[in-house]
Amino acid sequence: MTINAASIRAQGPAYELFIGSAWTGAREGRRFDRTNPYDGSIAASFANATAADADAAIRAARGAFDTGPWPRSSARERHDLLRRVADAIRARIEDFAARMVAESGKPVSLARGEAGAAARTFDYYAGLALADEGAAIAGRVPQAMGLILPEPVGVCAFITPWNFPMLNPVCKIAPALAAGCTVVIKPSHLCPGPVAVLAEVLAEAGLPEGVFNLVTSDLERGGTVGQVLAGSDLVDKVAFTGSTTTGRAVMRAASGNNKHVALELGGKSANIVFADAPFEAAVTTAISAFCFNSGQQCSAGSRLLVQRSIHDQFVEALAQAAGRQVLGNPADAATTMGPLVNDEQFARVSRYVELGDTEGRRLCGGPTGEGYFMAPTIFAGLSNASRLAQEEIFGPVLSVIPFSDEAEAVALANDSAYGLAGGVWSRSIDTALRVARSVRTGKMFVNCYNSAGIDDMPHGGVKDSGIGREFGRQGLQEYQTVKTVQIRLDN
């Protein structure tokens, strides 16, 4: 279908839980609505799962792993199914985009791009399913041989956020399925629709019973359901994306049976601009680095470190460039920034803007006075020790901080509890690589931000930004264990 204003204002669809191989209502029969953050209409209705529903989904996944065909399927079978899923996502890209637009306020151009990236992720892990190999130790001693065998880790529980409501689940689901695991997922109550549509696609692609299970719940019940998923002795791995505080709670819950844990948490990434940087490109990209998805991304370049000799000129150009962002109806292809996801997030970001007015000098932006829209907001005159420069805001708010030389830039970048991403801008490859290697973070961009066009590189953080990696070969290894076999040949 084509997305337009009329299509997102209508009463949205109703989704159930997907457990085993069937759509089913929550055991207590309750439901919750997701409100469209742009126009206030009902975007969709969802079954409101209880702890008992979560347990039923876990048991379905456990049975499918222990006795079902999927963990015992051939690499070719897993490849073929994942490729069918990728093709089906591309065929239904407008359905996925419609869910993201209506439920999260994501601009339609970004939503289509996210759905396309999800399809490519399934393609990638379909290929890795075929390419995955163990190893043999054949010549170390003449009378024995050793085998190193990758095996699926088991039942995987996923708790995923609303800001990338399709790609974030897919970067967990696709490698887990490629490895032969079974899955239970609880997406955020703020945008569960894309995963519900994905459940339809997976079932139609022929995924066996119990391999994929979906539970949805509102904010009140979500914590309880998440704790069941993280704490269950029947779950072998839990992967969570969200706040650092909640990530710690997930890890505590997961310790009961020492299950595998992966956490992709918060960030306060430093985007570093040296005096010899390509000026216009650095300005333009610095805006997208903190405004992409309305600033609602954990790897946002929300700290901008600018060398003193160009600081004033750069800040002036930055404020002008911020005005070129288009805030409006997320269903409009011209919109670059939609509303923040809900009233709670809007209030949170607004409080940080008020705080910034006491800590530094606001150059532009702030609440627009219309709905949950926040214009690109830039503060100068801040110390790196300020709350605005140290705390994750999760909105389009940028802290600009000057530095004198390379050593100070690295020290400022590393002066953070987080370590998820970062950027460096310089025409000197020596400077850029020295800085990229010196900043303690999970990924760095050189003369770009968010992407240089290379898909499927590992993503994850250090320090309070989490543990584990998603995407790339490392993303598949997260869902595998290694078994070694030693064979005597002289008996």
Side-chain angles (χ1 to χ4, degrees):
M1 67 181 173
T2 300
I3 301 171
N4 53 46
S7 69
I8 68 168
R9 287 180 184 277
Q11 181 81 14
Y15 294 103
E16 307 295 344
L17 311 179
F18 190 78
I19 299 177
S21 61
W23 293 98
T24 180
R27 294 198 174 194
E28 293 184 1
R30 296 185 183 180
R31 305 190 62 79
F32 69 96
D33 293 334
R34 171 58 185 144
T35 301
N36 185 315
Y38 173 66
D39 65 10
S41 63
I42 301 301
S45 169
F46 298 91
N48 198 358
T50 64
D53 293 307
D55 184 67
I58 292 168
R59 291 183 182 279
R62 184 80 258 168
F65 186 81
D66 291 343
T67 63
W70 186 250
R72 296 151 193 86
S73 61
S74 69
R76 173 60 66 180
E77 288 172 317
R78 296 195 300 276
H79 164 275
D80 290 350
L81 187 138
L82 267 61
R83 285 297 303 272
R84 291 197 297 273
V85 172
D87 290 342
I89 290 173
R90 280 185 279 266
R92 296 188 62 178
I93 199 164
E94 294 296 335
D95 293 342
F96 286 105
R99 291 293 88 223
M100 287 184 266
V101 169
E103 294 174 33
S104 74
K106 186 183 292 284
V108 65
S109 59
L110 301 187
R112 289 174 177 142
E114 183 172 337
R120 293 192 298 274
T121 301
F122 270 104
D123 277 333
Y124 178 83
Y125 285 109
L128 275 192
L130 280 184
D132 189 38
E133 297 176 346
I137 300 173
R140 188 165 298 171
V141 294
Q143 73 275 15
M145 176 179 291
L147 302 178
I148 301 171
L149 308 176
E151 296 186 342
V153 72
V155 176
C156 301
F158 300 145
I159 304 169
T160 59
W162 48 264
N163 57 331
F164 293 97
M166 186 174 184
L167 187 57
N168 191 281
V170 163
C171 75
K172 298 171 176 61
I173 295 166
L177 296 181
C181 297
T182 61
V183 169
V184 181
I185 184 168
K186 188 198 85 66
S188 168
H189 66 286
L190 294 176
C191 192
V195 182
V197 178
L198 182 62
E200 297 172 356
V201 167
L202 290 168
E204 291 166 1
L207 195 65
E209 179 178 349
V211 176
F212 178 85
N213 303 272
L214 165 67
V215 289
T216 54
S217 52
D218 63 11
L219 178 62
E220 181 179 354
R221 292 189 174 185
T224 299
V225 169
Q227 287 289 303
V228 170
L229 297 181
S232 174
D233 290 344
L234 301 180
V235 170
D236 301 295
K237 170 161 185 167
V238 59
F240 167 80
T241 300
S243 73
T244 298
T245 299
T246 306
R248 290 177 178 143
V250 168
M251 181 173 281
R252 287 191 296 270
S255 66
N257 67 335
N258 293 319
K259 59 174 61 70
H260 297 243
V261 177
L263 306 172
E264 201 261 283
L265 307 176
K268 195 68 183 181
S269 301
N271 190 17
I272 305 167
V273 180
F274 284 89
D276 67 342
F279 190 91
E280 292 300 328
V283 168
T284 301
T285 308
I287 296 295
S288 63
F290 86 96
C291 288
F292 183 77
N293 206 40
S294 299
Q296 299 170 129
Q297 62 162 340
C298 49
S299 58
S302 54
R303 282 189 300 156
L304 182 66
L305 311 183
V306 183
Q307 199 156 25
R308 291 185 187 279
S309 60
I310 64 166
H311 176 273
D312 292 349
Q313 178 189 5
F314 198 90
V315 163
E316 181 180 353
L318 200 68
Q320 293 178 356
R324 294 195 286 270
Q325 291 292 306
V326 180
L327 283 67
N329 186 343
D332 188 334
T335 296
T336 62
M337 293 177 64
L340 299 182
V341 72
N342 64 359
D343 55 349
E344 181 181 356
Q345 186 64 17
F346 178 78
R348 170 185 168 85
V349 177
S350 296
R351 288 193 296 270
Y352 273 105
V353 172
E354 294 172 0
L355 175 64
D357 287 335
T358 69
E359 292 187 333
R361 175 169 54 95
R362 194 196 316 186
L363 303 176
C364 61
T368 66
E370 298 181 7
Y372 303 148
F373 284 97
M374 182 73 62
T377 307
I378 302 173
F379 285 94
L382 292 166
S383 161
N384 193 59
S386 66
R387 286 183 59 192
L388 219 64
Q390 289 293 318
E391 298 177 12
E392 185 177 41
I393 298 172
F394 227 63
V397 179
L398 180 68
S399 301
V400 185
I401 301 163
F403 68 89
S404 297
D405 55 22
E406 183 179 320
E408 185 182 15
V410 170
L412 289 169
N414 285 334
D415 182 18
S416 171
Y418 297 105
L420 187 57
V424 56
W425 292 80
S426 172
R427 294 186 188 277
S428 166
I429 191 64
D430 292 341
T431 299
L433 288 181
R434 278 197 308 270
V435 171
R437 295 185 67 176
S438 298
V439 176
R440 191 162 177 241
T441 187
K443 81 167 121 179
M444 285 287 287
F445 300 97
V446 175
N447 294 334
C448 61
Y449 204 93
N450 283 325
S451 176
I454 306 171
D455 290 337
D456 302 307
M457 290 188 72
H459 171 76
V462 300
K463 301 191 284 187
D464 276 354
S465 290
I467 55 175
R469 292 295 181 267
E470 297 179 326
F471 297 103
R473 287 184 177 271
Q474 290 80 1
L476 178 65
Q477 292 165 2
E478 289 279 338
Y479 296 97
Q480 294 176 320
T481 59
V482 174
K483 178 183 287 180
T484 59
V485 179
Q486 296 194 34
I487 309 166
R488 290 286 299 193
L489 302 175
D490 57 352
N491 290 322

